[in-house]
Amino acid sequence: MRIGIIAGEASGDLLGAHLMASLQARFSSLEFIGIGGSRMQALGAKSLFPMEKLAVRGYVEVLKHYREIRGIQRDIVREFQSDPPDLFIGIDAPDFNFGVEEKLKAAGVTTIHYVSPSIWAWRRERIHRIKRAVSHMLTIFPFEAKIYEQAGIPVSYVGHTLADEIPLEIDRAAARRALNIDAATPVIALLPGSRVSELDYHAELFAATALEIGKSLPNACFIAPFATPATQQQFEAAIKKTAADKLRIICLQGGSQLALAAAAVALIKSGTSTLEAALLKCPMVITYRVSAVSAWLMRRMGRAYLPYIGLPNILAGEFIVPELLQDDATPENLAQALLNSYRDETLHANLKARFLSIHQSLRQNSAERIADALTQYLDPSLASMRAR
């Protein structure tokens, strides 16, 4: 069986590898081809283009790379139209993947989309395009399935792989020992993003925030994990530029879970890492910056239905962790919010209980659920059940 598969960023690569492993455990001789990162490639996926080419966010930022991204999309569609896969799976990256899926579904290929876009938060009208593009949606949050059921789109709630992999109880002492940090040291995790384009807006901001925190906690240790050498280099340059190199800052390649397990509090760019922090029961401050033009366009076009953007707040249904975005995201504001969280033990206890509840709701043995949902499209004996 030949499976087309596309992931557009580090979090998608993680989910893609998990999905591949779940199918490989049930079916033999599966070939995966498309776009994926190091985790997917380690399991045998053939990546036709570097995944980093798709890792761009923000209207203006996407426009800068529009011609290249559209060229990749056309080449991928051409590849799969000339040699159709038995199944196509798009992992997140909705703007890119829906364009591919719509053309492939029209050509008779069954299309699976793994990770619903946030239509429950903004741009609900996208459901019509999704219906044209997607044969079956796999959702990672429990409240999403009802949206697709009401729209007549086959859907399966599969839970989140991180919730399965991360233990319910976190051994912070062990994490600190692994990083050679003693128990009395204030530890703050810094996660400015997985994309180069995100580091363009967050690297100096996070470094300057660390410098501000250092004024109140001179013995603090900062841990910054990175998905790629390029993003780590960007951050290290920002450390030098802001004079934050006077602080104790440990940069890691990978290791986000270790960093969050060791930390008392974290500063995190909005995205999957905020969910990872919640599952690791780490208090956090969420932030996000894009260009001024992108921010203006988002406000004009977004039609947002929720007052928050961070996944922990969305899953909790209320603000349980602070969000400081765009102009509010200054080193002074972020440092103050982090220090307030660090010093509030009652808040830590309350957050741990809320995070545990979120963790349990997402812990669904997603590998089995994914394999169960996709078996009807991969098992020849169930061919009559295929939904095209």
Side-chain angles (χ1 to χ4, degrees), residues 318-376:
E318 61 178 310
F319 279 104
I320 59 173
V321 296
E323 295 181 5
L324 293 169
L325 313 174
Q326 209 57 17
D327 294 339
D328 292 331
T330 65
E332 296 76 17
N333 288 348
L334 293 173
Q336 189 60 58
L338 287 160
L339 288 168
N340 290 346
S341 179
Y342 174 75
R343 292 165 175 157
D344 193 335
E345 294 184 5
T346 301
L347 173 67
H348 288 195
N350 291 337
L351 280 177
K352 183 178 179 181
R354 298 301 296 273
F355 290 160
L356 180 61
S357 177
I358 290 171
H359 196 158
Q360 290 169 329
S361 73
L362 300 179
R363 198 178 177 91
Q364 299 290 323
N365 191 359
S366 61
E368 283 300 306
R369 283 181 172 244
I370 289 168
D372 287 345
L374 299 187
T375 288
Q376 59 183 300

Side-chain angles (χ1 to χ4, degrees), residues 37-70:
S38 58
R39 291 184 178 92
M40 292 168 62
Q41 290 178 48
L43 290 176
K46 179 182 178 183
S47 190
L48 302 175
F49 297 91
M51 186 183 69
E52 292 74 18
K53 295 288 186 182
L54 307 185
V56 181
R57 273 194 178 180
Y59 290 110
V60 172
E61 293 75 15
V62 169
L63 284 173
K64 291 178 182 177
H65 301 274
Y66 178 78
R67 182 173 295 180
E68 181 179 29
I69 293 172
R70 282 288 291 164

Side-chain angles (χ1 to χ4, degrees), residues 30-347:
L30 296 179
E31 176 190 358
F32 294 90
I33 181 170
I35 300 175
S38 58
R39 291 184 178 92
M40 292 168 62
Q41 290 178 48
L43 290 176
K46 179 182 178 183
S47 190
L48 302 175
F49 297 91
M51 186 183 69
E52 292 74 18
K53 295 288 186 182
L54 307 185
V56 181
R57 273 194 178 180
Y59 290 110
V60 172
E61 293 75 15
V62 169
L63 284 173
K64 291 178 182 177
H65 301 274
Y66 178 78
R67 182 173 295 180
E68 181 179 29
I69 293 172
R70 282 288 291 164
I72 293 172
Q73 191 181 59
R74 284 193 298 269
D75 289 345
I76 284 286
V77 169
R78 192 178 298 118
E79 164 71 23
F80 289 144
Q81 285 178 334
S82 64
D83 187 7
D86 296 285
L87 185 69
F88 176 83
I89 303 171
I91 302 167
D92 208 356
D95 292 324
F96 185 92
N97 275 325
F98 288 153
V100 175
E101 291 160 6
E102 194 166 356
K103 289 181 173 61
L104 295 184
K105 187 181 179 187
V109 176
T110 298
T111 56
I112 309 297
H113 194 86
Y114 182 23
V115 185
S116 168
S118 51
I119 56 173
W120 31 265
W122 70 311
R123 292 173 59 199
R124 291 180 183 172
E125 71 281 0
R126 287 178 290 176
I127 194 70
H128 304 297
R129 186 186 189 194
I130 293 171
K131 191 169 187 176
R132 293 194 304 270
V134 176
S135 304
H136 197 125
M137 177 68 72
L138 305 180
T139 70
I140 60 175
F141 300 133
F143 57 84
E144 295 173 316
K146 186 176 180 181
I147 298 171
Y148 293 97
E149 289 169 354
Q150 291 174 339
I153 300 170
V155 60
S156 299
Y157 167 53
V158 298
H160 204 294
T161 176
L162 287 174
D164 294 327
E165 294 175 357
I166 295 173
L168 295 176
E169 292 292 329
I170 307 304
D171 190 341
R172 300 205 181 282
R176 290 190 172 211
R177 286 195 299 271
L179 291 165
N180 197 28
I181 302 171
D182 64 63
T185 299
V187 179
I188 296 98
L190 303 173
L191 286 82
S194 61
R195 305 174 176 92
V196 168
S197 59
E198 290 172 335
L199 270 289
D200 289 340
Y201 293 99
H202 297 142
E204 290 185 23
L205 174 65
F206 277 53
T209 300
L211 195 61
E212 194 68 25
I213 291 171
K215 296 176 183 177
S216 298
L217 297 175
N219 63 328
C221 176
F222 300 88
I223 311 172
F226 295 95
T228 65
T231 50
Q232 180 174 333
Q233 290 166 10
Q234 272 185 286
F235 188 68
E236 289 173 343
I239 291 172
K240 293 179 181 178
K241 186 174 181 179
T242 58
D245 52 355
K246 299 173 183 176
L247 303 172
R248 184 183 177 189
I249 300 179
I250 301 172
C251 292
L252 305 174
Q253 269 298 297
S256 60
Q257 292 187 22
L258 179 62
L260 290 165
V265 66
L267 176 61
I268 310 181
K269 180 274 311 178
S270 180
T272 302
S273 293
T274 63
L275 176 61
E276 194 171 37
L279 297 175
L280 286 155
K281 321 303 182 295
C282 180
M284 73 195 82
V285 173
I286 297 171
T287 190
Y288 202 76
R289 273 184 174 180
V290 292
S291 71
V293 175
S294 287
W296 180 80
L297 286 169
M298 285 173 157
R299 286 192 293 269
R300 292 273 296 183
M301 299 174 65
R303 296 196 290 280
Y305 305 105
L306 297 176
Y308 23 69
I309 69 166
L311 288 172
N313 293 330
I314 290 168
L315 290 166
E318 61 178 310
F319 279 104
I320 59 173
V321 296
E323 295 181 5
L324 293 169
L325 313 174
Q326 209 57 17
D327 294 339
D328 292 331
T330 65
E332 296 76 17
N333 288 348
L334 293 173
Q336 189 60 58
L338 287 160
L339 288 168
N340 290 346
S341 179
Y342 174 75
R343 292 165 175 157
D344 193 335
E345 294 184 5
T346 301
L347 173 67

